[in-house]
Amino acid sequence: MDTDTRLSRIRALAQTEGKVMATALAHDLGVAVQTIRRDLRQLCAAGLLERIHGGAVLPSGVSNIGYGDRRALNRDIKIRIARRAAQLIPDNASLFLNIGTTTEAVAHALHAHRNLMVVTNNLNVANILASNASCNVVVAGGSLRRSDGGLVGDLAALAIDRFKVDFAVIGASAIDLSGDLLDFDPEEVRVSQQVIKAARATILVADSTKFTRKAPVKIASLAQVDHFVTDRVPSEALINRCADWVTKVALV
């Protein structure tokens, strides 16, 4: 396999899985680990990937990756996370779903729920739940972000301030090992912070690749979250801190 083909395969795998590991790539592509490490250095030097111990992840920084690419990342894990989160929500509940591909997966997982009232600033979530005739959908108005169907800004935050819901189901673009939840857009963060205040309980849905990414704006802390649904927490210290904070961690 020539270099260009390998680089293309590595990028495709990173887009699908969120991260790639050198040893696994060497096995799958039938080349030496040293060859893969050179490939990863080349991709990272071009800004297409970002190195982590033993491999690489999609790059992060001050701007998020494309929404279509995010939808493809860890799709199966997001579905499992969504199904577990949906189990925490009973029929006849009120809830808020914010912007994000994992919260969209939660919307799909709520298809069989009955007598829900869902407030959202995510047009994609509203369209998904429109097929559930037993679900009352309220869209919080705001400025439309065409890239992902999100409604953000002061109007969205003011609309959410009128509600007190049973659950807030939120996502995050990145999670720091200190427990801080992070995002890229201050306007979206303001809405997410208002959502947490407006909910009796908060459910964070985020896969473990969020621990490998960085974002510049703080949403909240895991200490403010009641349930954290994920596939893995890479820090024993953070698991212990969640226990101290009485944040329940559910692994799928």
Side-chain angles (χ1 to χ4, degrees), residues 9-32:
R9 289 280 297 277
I10 292 169
R11 285 192 65 194
L13 283 168
Q15 292 285 347
T16 301
E17 303 296 334
K19 67 178 179 179
V20 288
M21 304 305 291
T23 302
L25 285 171
H27 179 268
D28 293 343
L29 300 179
V31 296

Side-chain angles (χ1 to χ4, degrees), residues 176-194:
D176 191 85
L177 288 177
S178 68
D180 287 338
L181 314 180
L182 307 167
D183 220 308
F184 294 93
D185 185 349
E187 289 195 332
E188 180 180 348
V189 166
R190 182 182 174 191
V191 174
S192 295
Q193 290 170 338
Q194 192 66 44

Side-chain angles (χ1 to χ4, degrees), residues 150-164:
L151 298 166
V152 298
D154 292 342
L155 288 177
L158 286 171
I160 292 160
D161 191 44
R162 301 180 62 184
F163 293 92
K164 186 70 177 182

Side-chain angles (χ1 to χ4, degrees), residues 67 71 82 97-110 122-125 128 148-149 205:
Y67 208 66
R71 274 203 179 104
L97 287 171
N98 77 343
I99 303 167
T101 56
T102 310
T103 51
E104 287 181 23
V106 174
H108 283 292
L110 293 171
N122 183 337
L123 293 182
N124 299 315
V125 164
I128 291 165
D148 59 10
V205 290

Side-chain angles (χ1 to χ4, degrees), residues 31-48:
V31 296
V33 174
Q34 291 82 354
T35 300
I36 294 298
R37 287 173 181 158
R38 286 197 298 272
D39 291 342
L40 293 179
R41 284 196 294 270
Q42 183 174 336
L43 289 168
C44 292
L48 299 171

Side-chain angles (χ1 to χ4, degrees), residues 21 25 38 59 63 81 84 91 94 111 125 142 148 155 162 171 173 189 197 230 249:
M21 304 305 291
L25 285 171
R38 286 197 298 272
S63 62
I81 289 171
R84 182 67 183 88
D91 290 339
S94 59
H111 182 72
V125 164
D148 59 10
L155 288 177
R162 301 180 62 184
S173 293
V189 166
K197 291 178 183 177
T230 187
V249 178

Side-chain angles (χ1 to χ4, degrees), residues 51-99:
R51 285 304 298 268
I52 60 170
H53 180 70
V57 297
L58 291 173
S60 59
V62 297
S63 62
N64 211 345
I65 62 175
Y67 208 66
D69 290 335
R70 276 184 277 159
R71 274 203 179 104
L73 290 177
N74 292 322
R75 178 178 172 82
D76 291 341
I77 292 173
K78 287 177 181 177
I79 290 172
R80 297 206 308 269
I81 289 171
R83 288 173 177 169
R84 182 67 183 88
Q87 292 173 359
L88 300 172
I89 300 168
D91 290 339
N92 306 300
S94 59
L95 64 144
F96 189 96
L97 287 171
N98 77 343
I99 303 167

Side-chain angles (χ1 to χ4, degrees), residues 177-234:
L177 288 177
S178 68
D180 287 338
L181 314 180
L182 307 167
D183 220 308
F184 294 93
D185 185 349
E187 289 195 332
E188 180 180 348
V189 166
R190 182 182 174 191
V191 174
S192 295
Q193 290 170 338
Q194 192 66 44
V195 167
I196 293 171
K197 291 178 183 177
R200 297 181 177 90
T202 298
I203 303 169
L204 172 68
V205 290
D207 65 80
S208 59
T209 63
K210 301 302 173 70
F211 288 103
T212 66
R213 306 191 70 221
K214 297 177 182 179
V217 189
K218 180 178 176 180
I219 303 169
S221 165
L222 275 169
Q224 297 167 257
V225 170
D226 298 279
H227 299 272
F228 176 25
V229 187
T230 187
D231 58 309
R232 187 174 69 91
V233 179

